[in-house]
Amino acid sequence: KTDLHLSEKYFLLADSQGDIHSAHHLAMLYQQPELKNYYKAYCFAKKSAKNGKPEGEYIYANLLYIGRGCEPDIQEAYKYYKLAFDHGIYQAKFMMERIDKLQKDDY
């Protein structure tokens, strides 16, 4: 059994000590039912994305797209899906295509 609270404790400790890998893990943890806090998920995903972590870019884009922990921002989401895709997160391409289709359908 996974102890998400213990994971949270250690990822927060690592993050406070400057570990750039912990932020995207925290962003994922804060989307789990036991720890659900979309604002924290958004903040840590943004931190990870701004540090150029591909996983963080993708999580950040998802939160922006849906508007979890933040206001929805499709254009910013697209920008970070593109970065994530360019950094090897290939499922980001599906979301980029989805946004392209939505925008095409609006015209």
Side-chain angles (χ1 to χ4, degrees), residues 25-107:
H25 290 291
L26 285 161
M28 290 171 41
L29 280 176
Y30 287 124
Q31 294 180 71
Q32 300 304 310
E34 298 89 341
L35 297 173
K36 189 174 6 178
N37 183 323
Y38 290 126
Y39 179 71
K40 285 184 178 181
Y42 167 79
C43 291
F44 281 108
K46 182 177 183 178
K47 181 177 185 176
S48 182
K50 300 292 182 181
N51 281 327
K53 299 296 297 168
E55 301 88 348
E57 292 165 344
Y58 185 71
I59 297 166
Y60 183 55
N62 283 335
L63 293 169
L64 286 166
Y65 180 78
I66 298 166
R68 285 202 169 142
C70 61
E71 290 295 316
D73 187 336
I74 302 300
Q75 299 308 319
E76 191 74 355
Y78 191 94
K79 173 182 163 183
Y80 279 91
Y81 282 131
K82 174 84 170 88
L83 287 169
F85 178 73
D86 290 346
H87 293 140
I89 307 293
Y90 298 111
Q91 62 265 40
K93 185 169 177 56
F94 169 78
M95 293 305 295
M96 291 165 53
E97 290 169 350
R98 185 176 188 170
I99 292 169
D100 287 339
K101 183 176 179 349
L102 286 172
Q103 291 178 337
K104 181 182 168 199
D105 291 346
D106 285 345
Y107 294 106

